[in-house]
Amino acid sequence: MRGLARYAWRSLVARPARTLLTILGIAIGVAVLVAALGVDSGLDVSIDRTVASMVGRADIRVAAFAETGLSAASLAQVEGVPGVALAAPVIERRTFLGSEAGRPVSTEPVTILGVDPSLEPRVRDLTLVRGTALAAGDGPVVLVTERLAASDAVDVGDSMVILGAGAPLRVKVAGVLAGDGPEVGSSGRTVVLPIRTAQALAVADGETMPDALAGISRIDVVLAAGATPDAVIATMGRTLSVEPYVLSVPRDVAATLRASTADVRATMALLAAITLFAAAILILNTMSMTVVERVRELGLLRAAGAGRGQIVHVVVMQALVLGAAGSVAGLLLGVMLAEVAAAWLRASGSLELDGPSISPAVLLAGLVTGLAITLVAAVEPARRAAGISPVAVMRVRADPGSLVRAHTGWLVAVVAVIGVVAVLLMPGGAADRSGPVRALVVYAILLTAVLLTPALLGPLARVVGLPFAAFLRLEERLARAAIRRDPSRTALTVGALIVGLAMVVALASVAGSARNTATSWLADVVPGDEILTAIAPAPVGDGGVDRQVAAIDGVLRATPLASFDLAFDGTRLEAVAIRGADFLADGRLVFTAGDRATALPALDAGGAAILPASRAARLGIGLGDAIAVASGAGLVQLRVVGLVDRSFPGRSGDAVLVGWGDAVDHFGVAGADSIAVRYAPGRQAEAQPQVEALARELALTAAPISRVAGAVADALDRLFGLLDLLALAAVVIASLGIVNTLSMNTWERVRELGMLRAAGMSRSQVWRSVLVEAGILGAIGALVGSIAGVAIGALLAGGGASGWSGVVVPWPAIGLSLVLGVALAMLAAAQPARMAGRMSIVAAVRGE
Amino acid sequence: MTPQLPQVPVTRSMFGTGTRPALPILEARMLTKQYRMPGEVVEAVRGVTLGVMPGEFVALMGPSGSGKSTLLQLLGGLDRPTSGEVLLEGEPIGRLSDSDATRLRRERTGFVFQSFNLVPLLNVVENVGLPFTIAGQDPRSAELAGRIREAIALVELTGKERHKPDQLSAGERQRVAVARAIVTRPALLFADEPTGNLDFTTGIDILNALWRTCVDRGQTVVLVTHDAKAAAYADRVFVMQSGRVQDEIALGRRDDHGAAPLIARLAQLGL
């Protein structure tokens, strides 16, 4: 075997360009896989860190359901539950810091965490970098995070002013917490202070501070040894009766976070699998070409007594060398790509991600997958090579390669292996089980497109060749003849391009759909040109913020909005309190059932709700049905008076719409989270500065709708930019395949080209014919890929968490893929075209 | 056709003692090969019976399409007959399994083809030693290296051991092919139009090389050719026409390889 191993090695070395390009193709496929796995692991690590930061050592969290929070009575009940060793209350608020002389003015809000200094350290570590910790009985002293200390130029010993419902509170900085502190999602701007001090911030002027603790946002529970969360939760369910609450355990928090990242992970995993598919096509094509090129030698080896197994061994050894080299290179490339991907995702702001996590398991998975796919792709060419009969080879003088053309049907087996790898290795972050099914359908669409290509080659080549034929008739005819010479090879070459470009188009379609979904609610739902956001509930009604804004000349309407949660049939539903009359006047909301003229006033009258159609369908609720939702005093019946196409987006779908009266009377809504400001026609320019000045006075953040939409679009563009980069990896692999194929096609046609040259064809005509061949291949790839991409885009967009948003045909992306396909293919053909043009006529006719 | 001894005295005995074995080393009995084409059945070989004695140099001669190459492939075990039998050293080889046929080619037969005989990536020594490599043996071992050197010397290519095929002339490449075919000392050496792609002088070199293997080493050679001058090297010539052996011409072992007697006989046959 050693001797034939030498032959196998030399066979690879004899074609250095093809060997290197194939290795590069495998490397790119493995790199994308490693990057996807690394980012996925990194997200898991970040999520675990986040959960640990959020819940610390708490085993259970009891969170307030209503805006008013939990009372001391609830705290006492929690403490009394058997199995509870520790119940640490926390008050969490958002507010602003007051200005201080000599310090930069900060317009960014801060998160206030009011904790029990004696209990909190037993739940989580508050690591100080300087200063001292809070102590029980402390007065107005605070801990600030390092980031806040740096941005606002405060340090130990400095005083700060915290704005509250009443008079601003002056506090002293006792210590600085490491990093961003314990509160996730606060952008590192967190102030930790004693819980009673935090409670005082909620006391308005003229009110007295209650003796008992109140307004508790959450209670973190540490269990006694031997107690289990499930048992304690069951007891709490029977025991806690003062206010509505939500129970969660760390795994629930982690699951929620994982679910929020599921779409991105699943898409990255899908792209990794698609890239591996493209790499597998490249390998299958390359090994097939190698067999075709060496068919006489292999026949000779058979005639000299080599067995079928030895021939298989030769081909498999070559595949192993390619696979090993490509996989190792891919690991190195993948580590770098993972860093790039992680940095990109962080910059997009869409995910909390510290960095990729490249564990030995990830590297091993990349290595094994690269080798496995290379070997699987090489099996069929090896089998065909082993089937070479020495007699048949010697008999077929003109085109012995015709005995061993590639069988594209073997791609089914390759895809099956990739599918198995994907299932075994790919992230399971998505709770939605349809994810793997969707991925399989995507593979099926791509595989079908590739397998149909040989049958469609002729007509497709004729169609896409028309532009070339208009100017380069001879070259176009030669190119089409060359393409039809080996349909299976052409199909494999174009197949990789189809795969890559289909994903580019699909991602553009999904991005367009996501953009539409994300911004359509702004147009369909929000009754305003500008949104004023409050960090604490803003008073509404007489003397309220909405009346003050509406009083400004040029303002047509100021609509208060408040988000809260409803408990319905064991499910937590997001809800938004609205003023129906404002929405009716503004013409917002698209009703799919019910009459807007009666439904919106019914909200204001009370006892009614408007549901988003998708939510209603999931819950099995129809127009006219009554839903019983939990309130502080028991169950409240709300009659469904309308179904709308879109509502305000929530965590798990669009929100239920409830009237202000019901929200305040039954569900503890204390004020508006935001005010939608509608300007009178033509008056925005004059009224907007006054509105924004008032907003600053009232500690509201103003944002024009256009800016909100732009921010959403920007975030989506950044995220999809990364995914496009990964999809382009498959296109690059396809380009490598085109180089190989055109080189091979030129080699096979050397006698034919020599004869044409001898008959008077110029060098430039020869290389133009190769370029036109590449251009036609690229155009076929782009055309078929675009059709497949639109179908895949529709499939992926329909399965996202945000629901179906219709098919978006991304015409710009289709145009781009056409240009990209043709340009890349012709670029890849440059060297083979040059070789063909420089061929010696004498050597060519002799067949050397 | 009944196998016969040459009709002229053997000028050089293969065995030194003048003893001649009674059985042929290679026999064909009523060999037939049919190919099914669309709408018709083509009989490339029709009921051929012949025998080759050990150490003999025989030629299968005939025009293009006479079935000589097909017959060679059947005799060499490269292809299976439609009917009839091929016996090599008394053992039937016409219906061997693929693995047995492979072992046959590895151990008991050698082939020289008209073209594409060498592996371009291997040098002369490696090409000649290819059968040992395929058999899992180490061609660099003392014994096998000696045999390789001997085969290279026999075809007069000593000094060019490290040359790659593209550094050799066409004739030299074909001589390497001859060396490879004989290095395992096969029972039979089959040569299918080995001079077809060569000029006259170079072709003579190849034929001389084949003849030397026969004379110096007692190699049994079966040559397929359409060229009377090449066939004149043989001890016996089977003339083929339309898939049958039309005639058998015994030329005997001659040093001069003159083609005149053969050509005269062919003229008598109207060929």
Side-chain angles (χ1 to χ4, degrees):
Chain A
M1 286 297 177
R2 234 179 299 142
L4 285 182
R6 189 182 309 160
Y7 166 72
W9 169 254
R10 288 191 198 174
S11 192
L12 286 177
V13 170
R15 287 274 183 262
R18 181 190 300 166
T19 298
L20 284 172
L21 290 175
T22 307
I23 289 173
L24 182 59
I26 299 168
I28 293 172
V30 170
V32 174
L33 172 66
V34 168
L37 291 176
V39 167
D40 184 73
S41 295
L43 281 170
D44 279 338
V45 168
S46 293
I47 286 171
D48 290 340
R49 181 191 60 75
T50 300
V51 170
S53 294
M54 287 170 69
V55 301
R57 287 179 285 277
D59 299 300
I60 298 172
R61 173 169 286 183
V62 182
F65 190 85
E67 292 278 330
T68 48
L70 299 170
S71 64
S74 288
L75 177 60
Q77 283 188 331
V78 171
E79 287 169 337
V81 171
V84 171
L86 168 72
V90 176
I91 290 176
E92 182 180 330
R93 294 281 182 270
R94 296 265 286 168
T95 187
F96 291 94
L97 296 178
S99 57
E100 285 278 303
R103 286 216 202 109
V105 175
S106 175
T107 58
E108 298 293 319
V110 295
T111 299
I112 302 296
L113 283 185
V115 302
D116 186 326
S118 61
L119 297 178
E120 190 67 14
R122 293 165 63 184
V123 176
R124 66 172 49 79
D125 296 323
L126 296 175
T127 307
L128 289 169
V129 292
R130 36 186 191 280
T132 56
L134 298 178
D138 268 348
V141 291
V142 301
L143 306 175
V144 297
T145 58
E146 267 188 294
R147 198 193 299 201
L148 178 59
S151 63
D152 286 33
V154 293
D155 211 332
V156 176
D158 290 342
S159 66
M160 285 168 48
V161 172
I162 304 176
L163 301 181
L169 179 68
R170 183 167 289 279
V171 296
K172 189 171 173 190
V173 178
V176 176
L177 295 167
D180 286 357
E183 186 67 6
V184 173
S186 67
S187 303
R189 295 180 62 79
T190 304
V191 178
V192 180
L193 68 171
I195 194 168
R196 290 287 275 171
T197 308
Q199 187 180 359
L201 282 171
V203 176
D205 288 335
E207 290 179 355
T208 50
M209 173 84 159
D211 292 331
L213 196 55
I216 299 169
S217 304
R218 62 175 186 263
I219 303 169
D220 289 328
V221 176
V222 176
L223 299 183
T228 63
D230 290 337
V232 172
I233 286 172
T235 307
M236 283 183 178
R238 294 189 298 272
T239 310
L240 302 185
S241 58
V242 181
E243 294 108 354
Y245 59 90
V246 176
L247 293 175
S248 62
V249 293
R251 63 170 185 264
D252 295 338
V253 178
T256 302
L257 288 174
R258 284 197 168 84
S260 70
T261 61
D263 280 349
V264 170
R265 294 182 190 222
T267 305
M268 286 190 71
L270 180 64
L271 286 170
I274 300 299
T275 310
L276 285 171
F277 184 27
I281 294 175
L282 173 71
I283 298 159
L284 177 58
N285 207 13
T286 300
M287 300 311 300
S288 298
M289 283 193 283
T290 303
V291 168
V292 166
E293 195 177 48
R294 305 255 173 241
V295 70
R296 285 198 194 276
E297 287 167 36
L298 295 172
L300 179 65
L301 288 175
R302 291 279 283 140
R308 292 184 198 276
Q310 286 175 294
I311 302 298
V312 168
H313 195 85
V314 165
V315 178
V316 168
M317 271 196 293
Q318 290 176 333
L320 268 176
V321 169
L322 294 173
S327 296
V328 169
L331 296 183
L332 297 171
L333 197 59
V335 169
M336 290 189 286
L337 187 60
E339 292 288 346
V340 169
W344 197 308
L345 285 172
R346 270 199 305 276
S348 75
S350 52
L351 294 174
E352 289 285 334
L353 177 62
D354 298 329
S357 174
I358 308 288
S359 63
V362 166
L363 294 175
L364 185 64
L367 185 68
V368 169
T369 303
L371 281 171
I373 285 172
T374 308
L375 284 175
V376 169
V379 163
E380 210 273 336
R383 192 191 58 78
R384 276 183 290 113
I388 294 172
S389 157
V391 172
V393 167
M394 297 309 156
R395 246 186 242 135
V396 179
R397 304 245 181 246
D399 184 15
S402 61
L403 298 172
V404 287
R405 297 299 184 206
H407 290 167
T408 53
W410 185 243
L411 283 177
V412 175
V414 172
V415 168
V417 170
I418 291 175
V420 168
V421 168
V423 168
L424 289 175
L425 293 183
M426 294 311 169
D432 179 11
R433 291 186 183 180
S434 67
V437 173
R438 276 205 312 280
L440 284 174
V441 175
V442 170
Y443 301 150
I445 291 173
L446 292 172
L447 184 63
T448 303
V450 175
L451 292 179
L452 282 179
T453 302
L456 301 173
L457 256 183
L460 280 176
R462 193 174 287 277
V463 167
V464 303
L466 286 174
F468 295 104
F471 304 100
L472 302 167
R473 192 155 175 268
L474 170 65
E475 290 87 338
E476 187 266 348
R477 290 184 75 174
L478 289 174
R480 276 197 290 119
I483 285 168
R484 284 199 306 273
R485 185 189 178 89
D486 187 345
S488 58
R489 182 192 307 159
T490 303
L492 288 174
T493 305
V494 172
L497 200 57
I498 289 172
V499 165
L501 292 175
M503 290 317 294
V504 170
V505 170
L507 284 173
S509 177
V510 172
S513 177
R515 217 174 277 115
N516 286 351
T517 302
T519 58
S520 65
W521 72 270
L522 288 171
D524 292 344
V525 175
V526 177
D529 303 302
E530 189 157 15
I531 300 277
L532 308 180
T533 308
I535 56 170
V540 170
D542 289 334
V545 172
D546 59 321
R547 296 288 167 87
Q548 292 181 61
V549 173
I552 293 174
D553 191 25
V555 172
L556 186 62
R557 203 174 297 113
T559 305
L561 306 164
S563 299
F564 60 102
D565 289 330
L566 291 175
F568 167 69
D569 197 24
T571 307
R572 187 174 180 150
L573 300 179
E574 293 96 347
V576 173
I578 68 169
R579 197 178 282 155
D582 286 353
F583 277 73
L584 184 62
D586 205 72
R588 296 302 107 190
L589 299 177
V590 176
F591 276 73
T592 60
D595 176 20
R596 63 187 296 112
T598 53
L600 288 167
L603 281 190
D604 293 338
I610 294 173
L611 266 60
S614 56
R615 178 87 77 169
R618 277 204 299 275
L619 295 173
I621 298 171
L623 183 69
D625 289 346
I627 57 174
V629 294
S631 75
L635 290 178
V636 175
Q637 296 285 334
L638 297 175
R639 192 169 56 85
V640 178
V641 295
L643 300 179
V644 292
D645 183 38
R646 297 303 316 273
S647 171
F648 292 91
R651 289 182 305 275
S652 58
D654 285 357
V656 174
L657 301 176
V658 173
W660 262 104
D662 286 330
V664 170
D665 294 342
H666 301 304
F667 304 118
V669 170
D673 300 321
S674 54
I675 310 286
V677 181
R678 178 70 74 197
Y679 294 103
R683 304 289 302 276
Q684 182 167 352
E686 88 183 66
Q688 191 168 13
Q690 298 175 64
V691 167
E692 290 179 357
L694 178 63
R696 280 192 295 276
E697 269 181 48
L698 300 176
L700 303 173
T701 307
I705 289 293
S706 57
R707 197 196 309 162
V708 173
V712 168
D714 283 348
L716 281 172
D717 285 347
R718 277 196 294 273
L719 176 60
F720 277 93
L722 172 65
L723 300 177
D724 283 337
L725 184 69
L726 296 179
L728 281 175
V731 178
V732 169
I733 292 174
S735 305
L736 302 177
I738 290 172
V739 176
N740 280 347
T741 294
L742 292 178
S743 300
M744 182 70 180
N745 285 359
T746 304
W747 174 81
E748 277 188 336
R749 294 165 57 207
V750 71
R751 277 208 181 104
E752 171 196 327
L753 293 172
M755 179 273 295
L756 289 170
R757 288 273 286 124
M761 193 168 171
S762 69
R763 288 187 195 279
S764 55
Q765 282 177 309
V766 170
W767 62 252
R768 275 201 299 267
S769 75
V770 176
L771 285 178
V772 169
E773 184 183 345
I776 291 175
L777 291 178
I780 292 175
L783 184 61
V784 178
S786 295
I787 295 171
V790 171
I792 293 169
L795 175 72
L796 293 178
S802 44
W804 176 261
S805 56
V807 175
V808 172
V809 180
W811 294 111
I814 290 172
L816 176 66
S817 80
L818 188 63
V819 170
L820 197 63
V822 172
L824 271 179
M826 294 180 84
L827 187 65
Q831 177 59 12
R834 187 169 153 269
M835 276 173 17
R838 291 175 62 182
M839 191 191 308
S840 150
I841 299 175
V842 170
V845 172
R846 267 212 301 261
E848 293 171 12
Chain B
M1 281 283 182
T2 306
Q4 294 180 6
L5 293 175
Q7 294 173 350
V8 296
V10 175
T11 56
R12 208 173 274 125
S13 165
M14 292 83 64
F15 299 96
T17 60
T19 308
R20 191 168 301 286
L23 293 174
I25 192 170
L26 178 69
E27 261 190 280
R29 294 177 182 173
M30 292 302 294
L31 268 188
T32 301
K33 180 67 181 181
Q34 293 175 343
Y35 293 102
R36 293 197 175 277
M37 312 294 281
E40 62 173 334
V41 173
V42 174
E43 275 196 306
V45 174
R46 306 178 191 207
V48 169
T49 298
L50 55 81
V52 180
M53 305 307 289
E56 248 196 313
F57 191 143
V58 303
L60 305 177
M61 189 186 163
S64 182
S66 59
K68 58 187 185 296
S69 290
T70 305
L71 178 59
L72 185 97
Q73 289 158 11
L74 294 172
L75 294 175
L78 292 181
D79 202 358
R80 287 184 175 190
T82 307
S83 63
E85 215 172 23
V86 177
L87 300 165
L88 174 60
E89 294 178 311
E91 293 175 36
I93 65 167
R95 304 255 182 270
L96 293 178
S97 66
D98 181 74
S99 55
D100 288 339
T102 301
R103 197 175 320 117
L104 175 80
R105 291 195 295 271
R106 197 158 57 219
E107 296 169 2
R108 298 165 73 188
T109 61
F111 286 90
V112 179
F113 300 104
Q114 181 172 347
S115 60
F116 304 102
N117 271 294
L118 304 184
V119 178
L121 301 172
L122 306 178
N123 62 27
V124 169
V125 164
E126 289 164 339
N127 264 291
V128 173
L130 191 59
F132 298 133
T133 305
I134 290 169
Q137 297 165 309
D138 185 359
R140 292 170 296 182
S141 68
E143 184 206 343
L144 298 182
R147 285 167 67 170
I148 293 170
R149 273 195 305 275
E150 181 193 319
I152 292 173
L154 190 69
V155 297
E156 298 178 344
L157 280 177
T158 303
K160 298 203 172 182
E161 288 85 348
R162 297 290 162 211
H163 283 57
K164 288 267 177 64
D166 58 1
Q167 295 170 310
L168 303 172
S169 68
E172 288 170 336
R173 287 200 284 268
Q174 202 66 316
R175 279 190 270 158
V176 173
V178 171
R180 188 201 61 231
I182 62 168
V183 73
T184 56
R185 296 176 186 159
L188 276 147
L189 171 61
F190 296 95
D192 185 2
E193 304 266 19
T195 62
N197 282 351
L198 305 174
D199 59 67
F200 174 74
T201 308
T202 312
I204 296 294
D205 290 341
I206 299 303
L207 294 167
N208 282 334
L210 288 172
W211 193 73
R212 274 198 299 280
T213 68
C214 188
V215 168
D216 294 348
R217 303 173 74 188
Q219 180 71 60
T220 309
V221 177
V222 178
L223 169 73
V224 161
T225 183
H226 63 274
D227 183 359
K229 295 192 199 61
Y233 276 72
D235 303 327
R236 276 191 298 154
V237 178
F238 294 97
V239 180
M240 292 197 67
Q241 180 83 5
S242 302
R244 297 184 204 280
V245 175
Q246 190 173 4
D247 197 11
E248 178 191 329
I249 304 169
L251 299 175
R253 183 66 52 91
R254 302 168 301 136
D255 289 339
D256 66 343
H257 315 303
L262 177 59
I263 293 172
R265 179 68 183 141
L266 291 171
Q268 288 174 1
L269 293 171
L271 298 171

